[in-house]
Amino acid sequence: MKISILTMFPQLFDSFLQGPVLQRAIRKESLQIEIIDIKDFAPGSYRHIDDSPFGGGAGMVMRCQPVLDALRYAQGTGEGIPQGGNAVSAAMTPAGRKFDQKTARSYAQLDHLILICGHYEGMDERIYSRVDEQISIGDYVLTGGEIAAMAVSDAVIRLLPGAIRDGSTSEESFENGLLEYPQYTQPAVYEGESVPEVLLSGHHEKIRKWRLRESLRKTLLMRPDLLDGREMTEEEAEILEELAKERK
Ligand code: 6GU
């Protein structure tokens, strides 16, 4: 797939682009990534991308012309993208739909994902009506959409074929609707705190059962909202009942 990121601050992506998982995805030819400088689409010596809002008020608003010309450029850079392939353009804004693992999985199936980073007090509303989606990464306000675009790209890229060496993203937090179970490595005792005995037992079925229980325990404690409306296996329901008793 190709990811195009439109930004006024392309330097912010310099170290992001060096990340090992991203670089592996490029080497495996799962990923092409392009940072597009919106300033290149603002004519004149000022190259101003923003202007004051109609109706008055504080701050500046990103103008339609440079942002939408940059978007059309991104949509036109088609090498490597199958004709008629599926593409999504998304404006990064705290007012958008909240990004989650399910959206990451669906973006990872696209041929082309275009992310537009907003700045200042936001963008001219006519930009939002010309993109497919508006995406937020959570209920807090960032200075700009760049960190949000990195978060979204990172979550998508690690799902691409060959990006992660052992390829197993199916057992991690959220993929099965639960938080991940606790993990341990050497030493078996650290400052008096021991690794749970069962993990040293080599007994695969007991380990599987322990991990499921601890996943459920962690989810119940930290993110009970994830359990609402989640389909349970009989085994999960039994364990949850036991955990509920333990808590009394
Ligand atoms: Cl996508 N942009 C900005 N500026 N702030 C955010 C955000 C995006 N998501 C959460 N906060």
Side-chain angles (χ1 to χ4, degrees):
M1 78 176 298
K2 178 166 185 170
I3 298 179
S4 302
I5 299 175
L6 278 55
T7 175
M8 297 168 57
F9 302 100
Q11 342 68 264
L12 289 176
F13 291 88
D14 288 351
S15 57
F16 176 70
L17 293 177
Q18 302 308 312
V21 172
L22 185 152
Q23 284 293 325
R24 195 173 300 121
I26 292 175
R27 278 203 306 281
K28 301 277 178 185
E29 297 182 358
S30 291
L31 174 70
Q32 290 176 276
I33 188 161
E34 161 186 58
I35 309 297
I36 295 173
D37 190 344
I38 298 172
K39 282 195 294 301
D40 291 344
F41 297 84
S45 50
Y46 292 106
R47 305 212 141 195
H48 70 294
I49 292 169
D50 58 314
D51 209 332
S52 34
F54 278 123
M60 300 291 261
V61 176
M62 284 169 77
R63 298 166 51 232
C64 288
Q65 177 268 318
V67 174
L68 291 173
D69 282 357
L71 173 60
R72 282 182 278 257
Y73 169 81
Q75 288 167 330
T77 61
E79 327 101 85
I81 299 168
Q83 272 303 313
N86 48 352
V88 162
S89 58
M92 306 307 301
T93 162
R97 178 170 65 85
K98 209 181 290 174
F99 183 73
D100 61 13
Q101 190 64 24
K102 188 163 160 247
T103 309
R105 274 190 299 251
S106 79
Y107 283 175
Q109 305 298 318
L110 294 173
D111 294 310
H112 197 185
L113 175 63
I114 302 172
L115 302 175
I116 306 170
C117 304
H119 251 264
Y120 304 117
E121 307 306 303
M123 302 191 227
D124 189 302
E125 192 65 25
R126 293 165 291 188
I127 295 171
Y128 295 126
S129 65
R130 283 166 174 76
V131 298
D132 299 314
E133 300 187 4
Q134 299 174 47
I135 292 291
S136 161
I137 61 164
D139 293 340
Y140 41 81
V141 179
L142 302 169
T143 316
E146 281 76 12
I147 290 173
M150 288 182 213
V152 167
S153 310
D154 187 280
V156 171
I157 289 166
R158 60 191 298 288
L159 298 175
L160 298 177
I164 289 186
R165 220 189 295 272
D166 64 15
S168 166
T169 53
S170 57
E171 277 188 32
E172 31 184 57
S173 292
F174 301 112
E175 286 294 349
N176 64 357
L178 300 174
L179 300 181
E180 199 181 11
Y181 49 77
Q183 299 267 40
Y184 298 87
T185 186
Q186 301 287 352
V189 183
Y190 176 75
E191 292 185 348
E193 191 176 343
S194 299
V195 171
E197 200 65 44
V198 60
L199 297 179
L200 312 177
S201 71
H203 193 303
H204 295 303
E205 175 54 20
K206 279 190 187 158
I207 291 172
R208 184 196 66 78
K209 189 122 195 170
W210 180 87
R211 285 178 165 166
L212 178 58
R213 170 184 293 266
E214 295 311 309
S215 260
L216 285 162
R217 187 199 305 281
K218 203 182 248 192
T219 309
L220 194 60
L221 186 70
M222 307 297 289
R223 292 294 305 278
D225 58 298
L226 294 178
L227 298 174
D228 293 340
R230 180 178 174 279
E231 289 239 3
M232 296 278 177
T233 65
E234 206 170 303
E235 183 183 28
E236 289 168 352
E238 257 168 47
I239 295 173
L240 268 180
E241 215 165 284
E242 288 167 23
L243 288 173
K245 272 185 213 147
E246 265 178 42
R247 271 153 55 108
K248 275 182 200 151

PDB file of all heavy atoms in Angstrom, residues 91-98 116-120 134-149 152, ligand 1:
ATOM      1  N   ALA A  91      -8.760  13.626   6.960  1.00  0.00           N
ATOM      2  CA  ALA A  91      -8.243  14.820   7.626  1.00  0.00           C
ATOM      3  C   ALA A  91      -8.075  14.509   9.107  1.00  0.00           C
ATOM      4  O   ALA A  91      -8.988  13.976   9.746  1.00  0.00           O
ATOM      5  CB  ALA A  91      -9.201  15.989   7.438  1.00  0.00           C
ATOM      6  N   MET A  92      -6.886  14.830   9.651  1.00  0.00           N
ATOM      7  CA  MET A  92      -6.618  14.601  11.060  1.00  0.00           C
ATOM      8  C   MET A  92      -7.169  15.778  11.858  1.00  0.00           C
ATOM      9  O   MET A  92      -6.732  16.922  11.671  1.00  0.00           O
ATOM     10  CB  MET A  92      -5.096  14.473  11.296  1.00  0.00           C
ATOM     11  CG  MET A  92      -4.394  13.432  10.425  1.00  0.00           C
ATOM     12  SD  MET A  92      -5.143  11.808  10.488  1.00  0.00           S
ATOM     13  CE  MET A  92      -5.008  11.469  12.234  1.00  0.00           C
ATOM     14  N   THR A  93      -8.116  15.518  12.738  1.00  0.00           N
ATOM     15  CA  THR A  93      -8.716  16.589  13.539  1.00  0.00           C
ATOM     16  C   THR A  93      -9.294  16.017  14.833  1.00  0.00           C
ATOM     17  O   THR A  93      -9.863  14.915  14.814  1.00  0.00           O
ATOM     18  CB  THR A  93      -9.844  17.316  12.760  1.00  0.00           C
ATOM     19  OG1 THR A  93     -10.661  18.047  13.691  1.00  0.00           O
ATOM     20  CG2 THR A  93     -10.719  16.361  11.981  1.00  0.00           C
ATOM     21  N   PRO A  94      -9.136  16.761  15.950  1.00  0.00           N
ATOM     22  CA  PRO A  94      -9.714  16.259  17.202  1.00  0.00           C
ATOM     23  C   PRO A  94     -11.235  16.133  17.139  1.00  0.00           C
ATOM     24  O   PRO A  94     -11.837  15.455  17.978  1.00  0.00           O
ATOM     25  CB  PRO A  94      -9.278  17.291  18.255  1.00  0.00           C
ATOM     26  CG  PRO A  94      -8.811  18.476  17.498  1.00  0.00           C
ATOM     27  CD  PRO A  94      -8.404  18.014  16.144  1.00  0.00           C
ATOM     28  N   ALA A  95     -11.850  16.743  16.117  1.00  0.00           N
ATOM     29  CA  ALA A  95     -13.307  16.641  15.971  1.00  0.00           C
ATOM     30  C   ALA A  95     -13.721  15.428  15.142  1.00  0.00           C
ATOM     31  O   ALA A  95     -14.897  15.252  14.832  1.00  0.00           O
ATOM     32  CB  ALA A  95     -13.845  17.916  15.324  1.00  0.00           C
ATOM     33  N   GLY A  96     -12.752  14.578  14.775  1.00  0.00           N
ATOM     34  CA  GLY A  96     -13.059  13.443  13.912  1.00  0.00           C
ATOM     35  C   GLY A  96     -13.560  12.218  14.661  1.00  0.00           C
ATOM     36  O   GLY A  96     -13.690  12.224  15.882  1.00  0.00           O
ATOM     37  N   ARG A  97     -13.833  11.168  13.891  1.00  0.00           N
ATOM     38  CA  ARG A  97     -14.204   9.867  14.443  1.00  0.00           C
ATOM     39  C   ARG A  97     -12.982   9.267  15.118  1.00  0.00           C
ATOM     40  O   ARG A  97     -11.862   9.391  14.615  1.00  0.00           O
ATOM     41  CB  ARG A  97     -14.686   8.964  13.298  1.00  0.00           C
ATOM     42  CG  ARG A  97     -15.073   7.552  13.685  1.00  0.00           C
ATOM     43  CD  ARG A  97     -15.760   6.848  12.504  1.00  0.00           C
ATOM     44  NE  ARG A  97     -14.848   6.662  11.369  1.00  0.00           N
ATOM     45  CZ  ARG A  97     -13.999   5.635  11.247  1.00  0.00           C
ATOM     46  NH1 ARG A  97     -13.955   4.702  12.168  1.00  0.00           N
ATOM     47  NH2 ARG A  97     -13.214   5.539  10.198  1.00  0.00           N
ATOM     48  N   LYS A  98     -13.178   8.590  16.244  1.00  0.00           N
ATOM     49  CA  LYS A  98     -12.029   8.095  16.991  1.00  0.00           C
ATOM     50  C   LYS A  98     -11.410   6.869  16.320  1.00  0.00           C
ATOM     51  O   LYS A  98     -12.099   5.916  16.004  1.00  0.00           O
ATOM     52  CB  LYS A  98     -12.408   7.786  18.440  1.00  0.00           C
ATOM     53  CG  LYS A  98     -11.227   7.959  19.374  1.00  0.00           C
ATOM     54  CD  LYS A  98     -11.532   7.648  20.817  1.00  0.00           C
ATOM     55  CE  LYS A  98     -12.433   8.659  21.486  1.00  0.00           C
ATOM     56  NZ  LYS A  98     -12.799   8.225  22.858  1.00  0.00           N
ATOM     57  N   ILE A 116      -4.129  14.017   6.053  1.00  0.00           N
ATOM     58  CA  ILE A 116      -3.900  15.461   5.983  1.00  0.00           C
ATOM     59  C   ILE A 116      -3.781  16.007   7.406  1.00  0.00           C
ATOM     60  O   ILE A 116      -4.704  15.855   8.210  1.00  0.00           O
ATOM     61  CB  ILE A 116      -5.064  16.169   5.256  1.00  0.00           C
ATOM     62  CG1 ILE A 116      -5.282  15.519   3.882  1.00  0.00           C
ATOM     63  CG2 ILE A 116      -4.779  17.656   5.118  1.00  0.00           C
ATOM     64  CD1 ILE A 116      -6.555  15.978   3.198  1.00  0.00           C
ATOM     65  N   CYS A 117      -2.622  16.605   7.690  1.00  0.00           N
ATOM     66  CA  CYS A 117      -2.385  17.124   9.032  1.00  0.00           C
ATOM     67  C   CYS A 117      -2.878  18.559   9.139  1.00  0.00           C
ATOM     68  O   CYS A 117      -2.445  19.424   8.378  1.00  0.00           O
ATOM     69  CB  CYS A 117      -0.898  17.081   9.355  1.00  0.00           C
ATOM     70  SG  CYS A 117      -0.195  15.432   9.190  1.00  0.00           S
ATOM     71  N   GLY A 118      -3.748  18.804  10.097  1.00  0.00           N
ATOM     72  CA  GLY A 118      -4.257  20.153  10.333  1.00  0.00           C
ATOM     73  C   GLY A 118      -3.389  20.897  11.327  1.00  0.00           C
ATOM     74  O   GLY A 118      -2.659  20.295  12.115  1.00  0.00           O
ATOM     75  N   HIS A 119      -3.435  22.215  11.276  1.00  0.00           N
ATOM     76  CA  HIS A 119      -2.713  23.051  12.234  1.00  0.00           C
ATOM     77  C   HIS A 119      -3.541  24.264  12.564  1.00  0.00           C
ATOM     78  O   HIS A 119      -4.655  24.427  12.084  1.00  0.00           O
ATOM     79  CB  HIS A 119      -1.355  23.465  11.671  1.00  0.00           C
ATOM     80  CG  HIS A 119      -0.254  22.768  12.384  1.00  0.00           C
ATOM     81  ND1 HIS A 119       0.439  23.318  13.420  1.00  0.00           N
ATOM     82  CD2 HIS A 119       0.226  21.522  12.227  1.00  0.00           C
ATOM     83  CE1 HIS A 119       1.313  22.455  13.871  1.00  0.00           C
ATOM     84  NE2 HIS A 119       1.214  21.349  13.161  1.00  0.00           N
ATOM     85  N   TYR A 120      -2.978  25.156  13.357  1.00  0.00           N
ATOM     86  CA  TYR A 120      -3.682  26.373  13.750  1.00  0.00           C
ATOM     87  C   TYR A 120      -5.031  26.023  14.367  1.00  0.00           C
ATOM     88  O   TYR A 120      -5.166  25.033  15.081  1.00  0.00           O
ATOM     89  CB  TYR A 120      -3.852  27.311  12.556  1.00  0.00           C
ATOM     90  CG  TYR A 120      -2.553  27.653  11.902  1.00  0.00           C
ATOM     91  CD1 TYR A 120      -2.297  27.279  10.589  1.00  0.00           C
ATOM     92  CD2 TYR A 120      -1.560  28.318  12.610  1.00  0.00           C
ATOM     93  CE1 TYR A 120      -1.089  27.585   9.991  1.00  0.00           C
ATOM     94  CE2 TYR A 120      -0.345  28.622  12.017  1.00  0.00           C
ATOM     95  CZ  TYR A 120      -0.121  28.250  10.720  1.00  0.00           C
ATOM     96  OH  TYR A 120       1.062  28.529  10.133  1.00  0.00           O
ATOM     97  N   GLN A 134     -12.866  12.128   8.609  1.00  0.00           N
ATOM     98  CA  GLN A 134     -12.168  12.949   9.594  1.00  0.00           C
ATOM     99  C   GLN A 134     -11.829  12.033  10.754  1.00  0.00           C
ATOM    100  O   GLN A 134     -12.698  11.343  11.275  1.00  0.00           O
ATOM    101  CB  GLN A 134     -13.061  14.089  10.066  1.00  0.00           C
ATOM    102  CG  GLN A 134     -13.463  15.026   8.934  1.00  0.00           C
ATOM    103  CD  GLN A 134     -14.472  16.068   9.402  1.00  0.00           C
ATOM    104  OE1 GLN A 134     -14.285  16.694  10.446  1.00  0.00           O
ATOM    105  NE2 GLN A 134     -15.529  16.243   8.641  1.00  0.00           N
ATOM    106  N   ILE A 135     -10.539  12.033  11.138  1.00  0.00           N
ATOM    107  CA  ILE A 135     -10.059  11.073  12.134  1.00  0.00           C
ATOM    108  C   ILE A 135      -9.384  11.791  13.297  1.00  0.00           C
ATOM    109  O   ILE A 135      -8.580  12.699  13.090  1.00  0.00           O
ATOM    110  CB  ILE A 135      -9.062  10.077  11.473  1.00  0.00           C
ATOM    111  CG1 ILE A 135      -9.786   9.177  10.471  1.00  0.00           C
ATOM    112  CG2 ILE A 135      -8.335   9.244  12.510  1.00  0.00           C
ATOM    113  CD1 ILE A 135     -10.749   8.177  11.075  1.00  0.00           C
ATOM    114  N   SER A 136      -9.723  11.340  14.519  1.00  0.00           N
ATOM    115  CA  SER A 136      -9.089  11.819  15.750  1.00  0.00           C
ATOM    116  C   SER A 136      -8.406  10.626  16.407  1.00  0.00           C
ATOM    117  O   SER A 136      -8.827   9.488  16.227  1.00  0.00           O
ATOM    118  CB  SER A 136     -10.165  12.381  16.686  1.00  0.00           C
ATOM    119  OG  SER A 136      -9.686  12.445  18.017  1.00  0.00           O
ATOM    120  N   ILE A 137      -7.345  10.869  17.190  1.00  0.00           N
ATOM    121  CA  ILE A 137      -6.740   9.744  17.919  1.00  0.00           C
ATOM    122  C   ILE A 137      -7.124   9.745  19.391  1.00  0.00           C
ATOM    123  O   ILE A 137      -6.621   8.926  20.161  1.00  0.00           O
ATOM    124  CB  ILE A 137      -5.215   9.667  17.750  1.00  0.00           C
ATOM    125  CG1 ILE A 137      -4.514  10.920  18.276  1.00  0.00           C
ATOM    126  CG2 ILE A 137      -4.840   9.424  16.289  1.00  0.00           C
ATOM    127  CD1 ILE A 137      -3.009  10.709  18.490  1.00  0.00           C
ATOM    128  N   GLY A 138      -8.003  10.637  19.820  1.00  0.00           N
ATOM    129  CA  GLY A 138      -8.430  10.586  21.222  1.00  0.00           C
ATOM    130  C   GLY A 138      -8.953  11.926  21.683  1.00  0.00           C
ATOM    131  O   GLY A 138      -8.827  12.928  20.984  1.00  0.00           O
ATOM    132  N   ASP A 139      -9.517  11.920  22.876  1.00  0.00           N
ATOM    133  CA  ASP A 139     -10.184  13.126  23.368  1.00  0.00           C
ATOM    134  C   ASP A 139      -9.232  14.057  24.103  1.00  0.00           C
ATOM    135  O   ASP A 139      -9.268  14.168  25.337  1.00  0.00           O
ATOM    136  CB  ASP A 139     -11.364  12.732  24.266  1.00  0.00           C
ATOM    137  CG  ASP A 139     -12.462  12.042  23.466  1.00  0.00           C
ATOM    138  OD1 ASP A 139     -12.490  12.202  22.228  1.00  0.00           O
ATOM    139  OD2 ASP A 139     -13.281  11.337  24.085  1.00  0.00           O
ATOM    140  N   TYR A 140      -8.338  14.658  23.352  1.00  0.00           N
ATOM    141  CA  TYR A 140      -7.414  15.675  23.856  1.00  0.00           C
ATOM    142  C   TYR A 140      -6.960  16.440  22.630  1.00  0.00           C
ATOM    143  O   TYR A 140      -7.120  15.953  21.508  1.00  0.00           O
ATOM    144  CB  TYR A 140      -6.217  15.028  24.570  1.00  0.00           C
ATOM    145  CG  TYR A 140      -5.707  13.812  23.843  1.00  0.00           C
ATOM    146  CD1 TYR A 140      -4.847  13.949  22.747  1.00  0.00           C
ATOM    147  CD2 TYR A 140      -6.136  12.526  24.179  1.00  0.00           C
ATOM    148  CE1 TYR A 140      -4.415  12.846  22.034  1.00  0.00           C
ATOM    149  CE2 TYR A 140      -5.712  11.419  23.475  1.00  0.00           C
ATOM    150  CZ  TYR A 140      -4.852  11.584  22.413  1.00  0.00           C
ATOM    151  OH  TYR A 140      -4.446  10.492  21.693  1.00  0.00           O
ATOM    152  N   VAL A 141      -6.408  17.640  22.826  1.00  0.00           N
ATOM    153  CA  VAL A 141      -6.045  18.462  21.671  1.00  0.00           C
ATOM    154  C   VAL A 141      -4.533  18.526  21.515  1.00  0.00           C
ATOM    155  O   VAL A 141      -3.818  18.870  22.455  1.00  0.00           O
ATOM    156  CB  VAL A 141      -6.631  19.882  21.794  1.00  0.00           C
ATOM    157  CG1 VAL A 141      -6.226  20.731  20.599  1.00  0.00           C
ATOM    158  CG2 VAL A 141      -8.151  19.809  21.908  1.00  0.00           C
ATOM    159  N   LEU A 142      -4.054  18.159  20.323  1.00  0.00           N
ATOM    160  CA  LEU A 142      -2.637  18.272  19.983  1.00  0.00           C
ATOM    161  C   LEU A 142      -2.418  19.577  19.217  1.00  0.00           C
ATOM    162  O   LEU A 142      -3.354  20.142  18.646  1.00  0.00           O
ATOM    163  CB  LEU A 142      -2.215  17.099  19.101  1.00  0.00           C
ATOM    164  CG  LEU A 142      -2.414  15.694  19.675  1.00  0.00           C
ATOM    165  CD1 LEU A 142      -2.200  14.640  18.601  1.00  0.00           C
ATOM    166  CD2 LEU A 142      -1.461  15.467  20.837  1.00  0.00           C
ATOM    167  N   THR A 143      -1.156  20.022  19.185  1.00  0.00           N
ATOM    168  CA  THR A 143      -0.808  21.247  18.457  1.00  0.00           C
ATOM    169  C   THR A 143      -1.101  21.102  16.971  1.00  0.00           C
ATOM    170  O   THR A 143      -1.441  22.065  16.298  1.00  0.00           O
ATOM    171  CB  THR A 143       0.690  21.536  18.633  1.00  0.00           C
ATOM    172  OG1 THR A 143       1.016  21.323  19.996  1.00  0.00           O
ATOM    173  CG2 THR A 143       1.029  22.949  18.241  1.00  0.00           C
ATOM    174  N   GLY A 144      -0.901  19.897  16.468  1.00  0.00           N
ATOM    175  CA  GLY A 144      -1.137  19.671  15.054  1.00  0.00           C
ATOM    176  C   GLY A 144      -1.422  18.217  14.795  1.00  0.00           C
ATOM    177  O   GLY A 144      -1.288  17.379  15.697  1.00  0.00           O
ATOM    178  N   GLY A 145      -1.793  17.891  13.570  1.00  0.00           N
ATOM    179  CA  GLY A 145      -2.165  16.529  13.237  1.00  0.00           C
ATOM    180  C   GLY A 145      -0.990  15.599  12.987  1.00  0.00           C
ATOM    181  O   GLY A 145      -1.195  14.402  12.745  1.00  0.00           O
ATOM    182  N   GLU A 146       0.259  16.120  13.055  1.00  0.00           N
ATOM    183  CA  GLU A 146       1.410  15.291  12.667  1.00  0.00           C
ATOM    184  C   GLU A 146       1.581  14.070  13.574  1.00  0.00           C
ATOM    185  O   GLU A 146       1.784  12.956  13.094  1.00  0.00           O
ATOM    186  CB  GLU A 146       2.699  16.123  12.658  1.00  0.00           C
ATOM    187  CG  GLU A 146       2.880  16.989  11.410  1.00  0.00           C
ATOM    188  CD  GLU A 146       1.996  18.235  11.405  1.00  0.00           C
ATOM    189  OE1 GLU A 146       1.404  18.577  12.459  1.00  0.00           O
ATOM    190  OE2 GLU A 146       1.885  18.876  10.338  1.00  0.00           O
ATOM    191  N   ILE A 147       1.532  14.288  14.878  1.00  0.00           N
ATOM    192  CA  ILE A 147       1.713  13.156  15.796  1.00  0.00           C
ATOM    193  C   ILE A 147       0.561  12.164  15.630  1.00  0.00           C
ATOM    194  O   ILE A 147       0.761  10.942  15.658  1.00  0.00           O
ATOM    195  CB  ILE A 147       1.857  13.651  17.251  1.00  0.00           C
ATOM    196  CG1 ILE A 147       3.205  14.360  17.398  1.00  0.00           C
ATOM    197  CG2 ILE A 147       1.745  12.503  18.249  1.00  0.00           C
ATOM    198  CD1 ILE A 147       3.402  15.046  18.732  1.00  0.00           C
ATOM    199  N   ALA A 148      -0.628  12.684  15.376  1.00  0.00           N
ATOM    200  CA  ALA A 148      -1.790  11.815  15.135  1.00  0.00           C
ATOM    201  C   ALA A 148      -1.588  11.009  13.851  1.00  0.00           C
ATOM    202  O   ALA A 148      -1.874   9.805  13.819  1.00  0.00           O
ATOM    203  CB  ALA A 148      -3.057  12.651  15.064  1.00  0.00           C
ATOM    204  N   ALA A 149      -1.061  11.644  12.806  1.00  0.00           N
ATOM    205  CA  ALA A 149      -0.826  10.934  11.542  1.00  0.00           C
ATOM    206  C   ALA A 149       0.238   9.856  11.720  1.00  0.00           C
ATOM    207  O   ALA A 149       0.148   8.775  11.134  1.00  0.00           O
ATOM    208  CB  ALA A 149      -0.414  11.916  10.447  1.00  0.00           C
ATOM    209  N   VAL A 152      -1.498   6.921  13.551  1.00  0.00           N
ATOM    210  CA  VAL A 152      -2.354   6.161  12.629  1.00  0.00           C
ATOM    211  C   VAL A 152      -1.487   5.339  11.672  1.00  0.00           C
ATOM    212  O   VAL A 152      -1.713   4.136  11.490  1.00  0.00           O
ATOM    213  CB  VAL A 152      -3.298   7.118  11.856  1.00  0.00           C
ATOM    214  CG1 VAL A 152      -3.968   6.406  10.692  1.00  0.00           C
ATOM    215  CG2 VAL A 152      -4.342   7.711  12.814  1.00  0.00           C
TER     216      VAL A 152
HETATM  217 CL1  6GU B   1      -6.042  14.080  14.622  1.00  0.00          CL
HETATM  218  N1  6GU B   1      -5.317  16.408  15.606  1.00  0.00           N
HETATM  219  C1  6GU B   1      -5.128  17.278  16.623  1.00  0.00           C
HETATM  220  N2  6GU B   1      -4.655  18.499  16.363  1.00  0.00           N
HETATM  221  N3  6GU B   1      -5.400  16.994  17.880  1.00  0.00           N
HETATM  222  C2  6GU B   1      -5.868  15.754  18.119  1.00  0.00           C
HETATM  223  C3  6GU B   1      -6.092  14.811  17.118  1.00  0.00           C
HETATM  224  C4  6GU B   1      -5.791  15.174  15.857  1.00  0.00           C
HETATM  225  N4  6GU B   1      -6.571  13.692  17.683  1.00  0.00           N
HETATM  226  C5  6GU B   1      -6.648  13.950  18.978  1.00  0.00           C
HETATM  227  N5  6GU B   1      -6.243  15.194  19.252  1.00  0.00           N
END
